[in-house]
Amino acid sequence: MSITILYFARIKEALEIDREELDFEKDISTIQQLVSFLGLRGEKWQTTLAEKSILVAVNHTVANFSTALNDDDEIAFYPPVTGG
Amino acid sequence: MIRIQEEDFDLGDEYTALKKNSRSPGAIVTFTGLVRDLDGNEKITGMTLEYYPGMTEQSLAEIISEAKQRWRLDQIKVIHRVGKLVADDQIVFVGVSSAHREEAFLACRFIMDYLKTRAQFWKKETTTSGERWVDAKSSDRDSAEKWKQ
């Protein structure tokens, strides 16, 4: 399965990455499983992605940690919005 | 109509376009948001605005669509600037035309309240003591929640 992950604002700076493509053979079928997988990269990833206020979108639609993942999905992690 | 851009906008031009494109507007309400120069007692020297291309436009389109379902409106225009801004710069414009003022006022306020809590924009302020991401305000969430009642 192949997915694209985008990171925005505070999350992007904390993780020092704005975008990545991930291919995995492992069984990752939900956002929660993806977050656990990314958490294996270290403490910085675990704490940032465990922030209570973090928001997630799948293919430009607001999602949650139980949302299912599919091939070619675009996932975005971002903090609460502050525009206007 | 939605525009996300780095360039500034001209209030007069936007008003003229709203008037010209509307069929028989009895009312045009416009709102312009500016970069404040103070956050509490701290001086803000600049601001950087980030957005999520594709999703932000979609979120704004959904907000406009919901406004059109709630009120009888003619034209709606939303402009949001991104990139680097300085104090007193214009950030956001919302213009609504309608046959009647009540609907235009309500829709303009609704669009701003929802934009502030649902559209994917993030502000980073530059102050005399450094840069920091702006935190979401509970007062903005409260303003948006009121439209659900």
mmCIF file of all heavy atoms in Angstrom, chain A residues 14-31:
data_model
loop_
_atom_site.group_PDB
_atom_site.id
_atom_site.type_symbol
_atom_site.label_atom_id
_atom_site.label_comp_id
_atom_site.label_asym_id
_atom_site.label_seq_id
_atom_site.Cartn_x
_atom_site.Cartn_y
_atom_site.Cartn_z
ATOM 1 N N ALA A 14 7.643 20.574 14.480
ATOM 2 C CA ALA A 14 8.062 19.657 15.552
ATOM 3 C C ALA A 14 8.693 18.395 14.964
ATOM 4 O O ALA A 14 9.676 17.876 15.490
ATOM 5 C CB ALA A 14 6.868 19.303 16.432
ATOM 6 N N LEU A 15 8.134 17.911 13.844
ATOM 7 C CA LEU A 15 8.625 16.662 13.250
ATOM 8 C C LEU A 15 9.695 16.900 12.186
ATOM 9 O O LEU A 15 10.313 15.941 11.695
ATOM 10 C CB LEU A 15 7.448 15.881 12.643
ATOM 11 C CG LEU A 15 6.361 15.444 13.639
ATOM 12 C CD1 LEU A 15 5.197 14.801 12.912
ATOM 13 C CD2 LEU A 15 6.944 14.489 14.686
ATOM 14 N N GLU A 16 9.889 18.173 11.845
ATOM 15 C CA GLU A 16 10.893 18.555 10.836
ATOM 16 C C GLU A 16 10.673 17.873 9.492
ATOM 17 O O GLU A 16 11.608 17.397 8.844
ATOM 18 C CB GLU A 16 12.305 18.277 11.357
ATOM 19 C CG GLU A 16 12.634 19.090 12.609
ATOM 20 C CD GLU A 16 13.959 18.693 13.211
ATOM 21 O OE1 GLU A 16 13.978 17.742 14.013
ATOM 22 O OE2 GLU A 16 14.952 19.333 12.867
ATOM 23 N N ILE A 17 9.411 17.795 9.088
ATOM 24 C CA ILE A 17 9.079 17.204 7.788
ATOM 25 C C ILE A 17 7.729 17.784 7.337
ATOM 26 O O ILE A 17 6.852 18.027 8.168
ATOM 27 C CB ILE A 17 9.013 15.652 7.880
ATOM 28 C CG1 ILE A 17 8.806 15.030 6.502
ATOM 29 C CG2 ILE A 17 7.933 15.185 8.851
ATOM 30 C CD1 ILE A 17 8.977 13.515 6.486
ATOM 31 N N ASP A 18 7.600 18.070 6.036
ATOM 32 C CA ASP A 18 6.307 18.579 5.574
ATOM 33 C C ASP A 18 5.538 17.561 4.738
ATOM 34 O O ASP A 18 4.315 17.669 4.605
ATOM 35 C CB ASP A 18 6.467 19.903 4.808
ATOM 36 C CG ASP A 18 7.308 19.764 3.554
ATOM 37 O OD1 ASP A 18 7.938 18.702 3.368
ATOM 38 O OD2 ASP A 18 7.349 20.717 2.759
ATOM 39 N N ARG A 19 6.271 16.568 4.180
ATOM 40 C CA ARG A 19 5.578 15.638 3.294
ATOM 41 C C ARG A 19 6.405 14.371 3.135
ATOM 42 O O ARG A 19 7.628 14.427 3.093
ATOM 43 C CB ARG A 19 5.444 16.334 1.932
ATOM 44 C CG ARG A 19 4.818 15.510 0.863
ATOM 45 C CD ARG A 19 4.999 16.169 -0.508
ATOM 46 N NE ARG A 19 4.322 15.346 -1.487
ATOM 47 C CZ ARG A 19 3.093 15.588 -1.924
ATOM 48 N NH1 ARG A 19 2.445 16.655 -1.532
ATOM 49 N NH2 ARG A 19 2.515 14.753 -2.771
ATOM 50 N N GLU A 20 5.741 13.242 3.053
ATOM 51 C CA GLU A 20 6.455 11.996 2.754
ATOM 52 C C GLU A 20 5.530 10.999 2.078
ATOM 53 O O GLU A 20 4.308 11.048 2.242
ATOM 54 C CB GLU A 20 7.058 11.400 4.025
ATOM 55 C CG GLU A 20 6.041 10.976 5.068
ATOM 56 C CD GLU A 20 6.705 10.369 6.291
ATOM 57 O OE1 GLU A 20 7.639 9.562 6.123
ATOM 58 O OE2 GLU A 20 6.291 10.696 7.420
ATOM 59 N N GLU A 21 6.127 10.133 1.291
ATOM 60 C CA GLU A 21 5.383 9.046 0.665
ATOM 61 C C GLU A 21 5.788 7.791 1.438
ATOM 62 O O GLU A 21 6.963 7.582 1.716
ATOM 63 C CB GLU A 21 5.805 8.847 -0.798
ATOM 64 C CG GLU A 21 6.008 10.140 -1.574
ATOM 65 C CD GLU A 21 4.741 10.639 -2.220
ATOM 66 O OE1 GLU A 21 3.919 9.786 -2.606
ATOM 67 O OE2 GLU A 21 4.570 11.867 -2.319
ATOM 68 N N LEU A 22 4.806 6.989 1.765
ATOM 69 C CA LEU A 22 5.106 5.759 2.513
ATOM 70 C C LEU A 22 4.580 4.548 1.769
ATOM 71 O O LEU A 22 3.440 4.534 1.311
ATOM 72 C CB LEU A 22 4.422 5.795 3.878
ATOM 73 C CG LEU A 22 5.144 6.331 5.104
ATOM 74 C CD1 LEU A 22 4.354 5.960 6.348
ATOM 75 C CD2 LEU A 22 6.561 5.782 5.213
ATOM 76 N N ASP A 23 5.436 3.559 1.638
ATOM 77 C CA ASP A 23 5.005 2.271 1.085
ATOM 78 C C ASP A 23 5.174 1.259 2.191
ATOM 79 O O ASP A 23 6.216 1.224 2.829
ATOM 80 C CB ASP A 23 5.907 1.846 -0.084
ATOM 81 C CG ASP A 23 5.616 2.671 -1.315
ATOM 82 O OD1 ASP A 23 4.479 2.625 -1.792
ATOM 83 O OD2 ASP A 23 6.549 3.382 -1.774
ATOM 84 N N PHE A 24 4.160 0.500 2.458
ATOM 85 C CA PHE A 24 4.356 -0.529 3.491
ATOM 86 C C PHE A 24 3.671 -1.823 3.125
ATOM 87 O O PHE A 24 2.627 -1.856 2.501
ATOM 88 C CB PHE A 24 3.909 -0.031 4.869
ATOM 89 C CG PHE A 24 2.663 0.796 4.877
ATOM 90 C CD1 PHE A 24 1.416 0.203 4.838
ATOM 91 C CD2 PHE A 24 2.742 2.182 4.924
ATOM 92 C CE1 PHE A 24 0.284 0.969 4.864
ATOM 93 C CE2 PHE A 24 1.605 2.963 4.940
ATOM 94 C CZ PHE A 24 0.371 2.354 4.904
ATOM 95 N N GLU A 25 4.357 -2.867 3.506
ATOM 96 C CA GLU A 25 3.798 -4.196 3.290
ATOM 97 C C GLU A 25 3.015 -4.616 4.521
ATOM 98 O O GLU A 25 2.130 -5.444 4.455
ATOM 99 C CB GLU A 25 4.924 -5.203 3.021
ATOM 100 C CG GLU A 25 5.617 -4.921 1.698
ATOM 101 C CD GLU A 25 7.018 -5.493 1.630
ATOM 102 O OE1 GLU A 25 7.331 -6.383 2.442
ATOM 103 O OE2 GLU A 25 7.794 -5.038 0.777
ATOM 104 N N LYS A 26 3.402 -4.009 5.653
ATOM 105 C CA LYS A 26 2.736 -4.331 6.915
ATOM 106 C C LYS A 26 1.260 -3.970 6.850
ATOM 107 O O LYS A 26 0.853 -3.142 6.046
ATOM 108 C CB LYS A 26 3.355 -3.511 8.041
ATOM 109 C CG LYS A 26 4.589 -4.072 8.640
ATOM 110 C CD LYS A 26 4.944 -3.123 9.746
ATOM 111 C CE LYS A 26 5.868 -3.746 10.749
ATOM 112 N NZ LYS A 26 6.052 -2.849 11.870
ATOM 113 N N ASP A 27 0.520 -4.541 7.737
ATOM 114 C CA ASP A 27 -0.906 -4.263 7.745
ATOM 115 C C ASP A 27 -1.222 -3.010 8.559
ATOM 116 O O ASP A 27 -1.320 -3.069 9.771
ATOM 117 C CB ASP A 27 -1.645 -5.481 8.329
ATOM 118 C CG ASP A 27 -2.914 -5.738 7.560
ATOM 119 O OD1 ASP A 27 -3.048 -5.186 6.447
ATOM 120 O OD2 ASP A 27 -3.764 -6.478 8.067
ATOM 121 N N ILE A 28 -1.346 -1.885 7.875
ATOM 122 C CA ILE A 28 -1.763 -0.652 8.542
ATOM 123 C C ILE A 28 -3.076 -0.245 7.914
ATOM 124 O O ILE A 28 -3.107 0.200 6.763
ATOM 125 C CB ILE A 28 -0.715 0.465 8.366
ATOM 126 C CG1 ILE A 28 0.625 0.026 8.968
ATOM 127 C CG2 ILE A 28 -1.198 1.759 9.011
ATOM 128 C CD1 ILE A 28 1.758 0.990 8.731
ATOM 129 N N SER A 29 -4.157 -0.402 8.634
ATOM 130 C CA SER A 29 -5.454 -0.176 7.980
ATOM 131 C C SER A 29 -6.245 0.993 8.556
ATOM 132 O O SER A 29 -7.280 1.351 8.021
ATOM 133 C CB SER A 29 -6.298 -1.454 8.029
ATOM 134 O OG SER A 29 -6.449 -1.865 9.362
ATOM 135 N N THR A 30 -5.746 1.613 9.645
ATOM 136 C CA THR A 30 -6.447 2.786 10.199
ATOM 137 C C THR A 30 -5.423 3.875 10.542
ATOM 138 O O THR A 30 -4.214 3.613 10.613
ATOM 139 C CB THR A 30 -7.201 2.451 11.513
ATOM 140 O OG1 THR A 30 -6.231 2.087 12.504
ATOM 141 C CG2 THR A 30 -8.209 1.334 11.328
ATOM 142 N N ILE A 31 -5.938 5.091 10.769
ATOM 143 C CA ILE A 31 -5.074 6.198 11.180
ATOM 144 C C ILE A 31 -4.373 5.842 12.497
ATOM 145 O O ILE A 31 -3.187 6.097 12.672
ATOM 146 C CB ILE A 31 -5.904 7.499 11.362
ATOM 147 C CG1 ILE A 31 -6.515 7.942 10.022
ATOM 148 C CG2 ILE A 31 -5.064 8.610 11.969
ATOM 149 C CD1 ILE A 31 -5.549 8.487 9.012
#
